[in-house]
Amino acid sequence: MMRRSMALAGLLGAVAVLLTAGILAAWMWPEKNISAQESSMKQGSVSQGLEESSRLEESLQQADSIPLKAEPDVAADYSGWAQAENGNWFYYRTGEKATGWIQLGTVWYLLSDNGAMQTGWQWYAGNWYYMDNSGAMRTGWVNDSSKWYYMDCSGAMMKGFIHDGNGWYYLDAEGVWQENYTDAEVTSSGRMIRIENGVAYVDGILIANKKYPLPKDYAPGRLTDEVQAALAEMQQAAAADGLNLYVVSGYRSYEYQGQLYQNYVKRDGQAAADRYSARPGYSEHQTGLAFDLNSTSNSFAGTPEAKWLAAHAQEYGFIIRYPKGKENVTGYQYEPWHLRYLGKEIAQAVYDSGLCLEEYLGIASYYTNE
């Protein structure tokens, strides 16, 4: 439309120039040198030019008032992208216009209710997303107006402490990275998260889950003395009830966890492995505060030992770290054999709450990067 308007405006300008030339000619050559017939012809030409100019201007206004098509015309069997005259892009599946989120290959796009492809910041289902100029959803770091934001692997803008796979960063309430931030983050339950030497603590409780990893060099080397003492006390109490509890997997280094995880991925695929095995740096076994007892088979659930642990572990400072029905919160399947040491007071409080540790502390557990 802009080119059409410019072209027509040029024609109007040309008419104006011709009219001006006629007026100048009448001034420069007085009427006494021109016959009455010539004068009448000249006046008629000027009048006719003015009328033509008026009609041209009217047709220009009418042309500019014609709206550009808001949607493209596509064949009934067309599939793919199509651009409307107003510049908006639409995606069609066999002639049907798509709306909402669509995935093409590995790329996600967000289409409005009327099907128009969205770009820039978009608010959707309680989260901010950033769609680049091609409409593709961005993940990872995004720079907008000289400010840095971080979008998790689902595209949602993050806030608070985040780990991008290389290091810790703090994003304020607007999602903007704040350099050299040393204060704490407040969780949804009002607790304080601090990062100390690359390790996340919530109200002093060391956290290692899918969102809060440990540094590669965090290596206590074995279960801590406090954990071993509490474990021995619990084993004695279980033995008094005729049960035998023993550790089948205790401390694991970053490197060893990586080997285990890769073996599981090769055997079952990454999606399945992520349900029962932590990626290196994200395992509680690396903390020296957690261990697996007796068997890591699902058949352990329902055994006398598993029932005893579910009822009494908190009395000795332990919790069943990945309880039944909490997979969507913890990020792991039910593991009645996996215990985490918190100390008797906190373990009892978590047990009494009926919550898993993430719910109790008000934190999330999901991989923010792939």
Side-chain angles (χ1 to χ4, degrees):
M1 178 183 287
M2 183 179 294
R3 289 195 298 271
R4 179 180 62 192
S5 298
M6 291 176 65
L8 291 174
L11 289 174
L12 279 177
V15 170
V17 170
L18 290 173
L19 291 174
T20 302
I23 293 170
L24 287 174
W27 175 76
M28 292 177 66
W29 291 280
E31 196 66 37
K32 63 181 180 181
N33 295 325
I34 302 175
S35 67
Q37 183 180 2
E38 290 175 333
S39 175
S40 175
M41 290 175 61
K42 183 173 66 175
Q43 290 173 358
S45 298
V46 171
S47 176
Q48 183 180 1
L50 288 173
E51 290 177 4
E52 290 178 355
S53 175
S54 177
R55 287 196 298 270
L56 182 58
E57 184 175 359
E58 183 180 350
S59 56
L60 268 177
Q61 292 173 350
Q62 291 176 352
D64 282 341
S65 67
I66 299 174
L68 294 177
K69 290 184 179 180
E71 295 185 16
D73 295 323
V74 299
D77 60 348
Y78 178 74
S79 294
W81 290 104
Q83 189 176 29
E85 289 182 354
N86 64 3
N88 286 335
W89 283 94
F90 296 80
Y91 189 79
Y92 291 83
R93 295 188 177 98
T94 318
E96 293 293 327
K97 182 174 59 179
T99 60
W101 288 101
I102 64 168
Q103 186 179 22
L104 303 178
T106 60
V107 180
W108 284 93
Y109 300 86
L110 179 60
L111 310 179
S112 68
D113 290 341
N114 74 344
M117 184 188 76
Q118 303 297 289
T119 60
W121 289 103
Q122 301 296 323
W123 178 256
Y124 184 88
N127 289 302
W128 283 105
Y129 297 82
Y130 189 82
M131 323 303 288
D132 65 21
N133 291 335
S134 72
M137 183 191 77
R138 292 287 302 276
T139 60
W141 288 106
V142 169
N143 186 282
D144 182 47
S145 301
S146 299
K147 295 179 180 179
W148 284 99
Y149 302 83
Y150 191 80
M151 324 304 283
D152 69 17
C153 57
S154 72
M157 185 188 78
M158 300 191 68
K159 301 176 184 178
F161 285 113
I162 65 103
H163 197 285
D164 70 347
N166 297 303
W168 287 102
Y169 301 86
Y170 182 79
L171 310 175
D172 66 17
E174 302 299 321
V176 179
W177 170 49
Q178 299 297 312
E179 192 172 7
N180 301 320
Y181 183 86
T182 58
D183 204 351
E185 173 193 349
V186 181
T187 74
S188 62
S189 62
R191 302 179 188 279
M192 308 297 288
I193 303 178
R194 295 185 183 278
I195 308 299
E196 300 177 7
N197 299 317
V199 179
Y201 294 86
V202 181
D203 278 2
I205 300 172
L206 187 154
I207 296 298
N209 69 9
K210 290 185 175 182
K211 188 179 179 185
Y212 300 95
L214 298 167
K216 291 182 179 181
D217 59 0
Y218 188 88
R222 60 188 177 88
L223 296 178
T224 68
D225 292 342
E226 187 176 358
V227 170
Q228 291 190 53
L231 171 60
E233 183 183 4
M234 184 172 67
Q235 287 173 315
Q236 291 174 4
D241 289 338
L243 301 173
N244 182 27
L245 299 179
Y246 52 94
V247 175
V248 294
S249 182
Y251 168 77
R252 298 177 193 162
S253 67
Y254 179 97
E255 291 74 19
Y256 181 58
Q257 182 65 37
Q259 294 172 13
L260 284 178
Y261 177 74
Q262 289 303 321
N263 288 338
Y264 294 139
V265 169
K266 290 178 182 177
R267 186 186 71 185
D268 300 327
Q270 186 174 43
D274 281 339
R275 294 187 59 229
Y276 62 81
S277 179
R279 300 175 187 179
Y282 296 82
S283 173
E284 281 202 325
H285 286 274
Q286 191 182 339
T287 68
L289 301 172
F291 50 79
D292 298 333
L293 292 175
N294 290 45
S295 172
T296 58
S297 169
N298 291 332
S299 62
F300 181 66
T303 64
E305 290 80 4
K307 292 179 180 178
W308 190 94
L309 288 169
H312 300 287
Q314 75 282 356
E315 299 169 12
Y316 306 93
F318 299 99
I319 62 169
I320 305 299
R321 182 63 178 88
Y322 308 121
K324 192 173 184 178
K326 300 293 186 179
E327 179 174 345
N328 289 338
V329 184
T330 66
Y332 295 103
Q333 66 182 25
Y334 173 44
E335 294 189 359
W337 57 80
H338 183 97
L339 271 63
R340 161 67 194 268
Y341 183 75
L342 295 174
K344 293 181 180 180
E345 182 178 351
I346 298 176
Q348 188 67 53
V350 174
Y351 176 84
D352 291 341
S353 73
L355 304 173
C356 65
L357 188 58
E358 278 78 12
E359 292 171 319
Y360 182 79
L361 298 177
I363 60 175
S365 178
Y366 66 96
Y367 293 123
T368 59
N369 54 78
E370 293 296 338

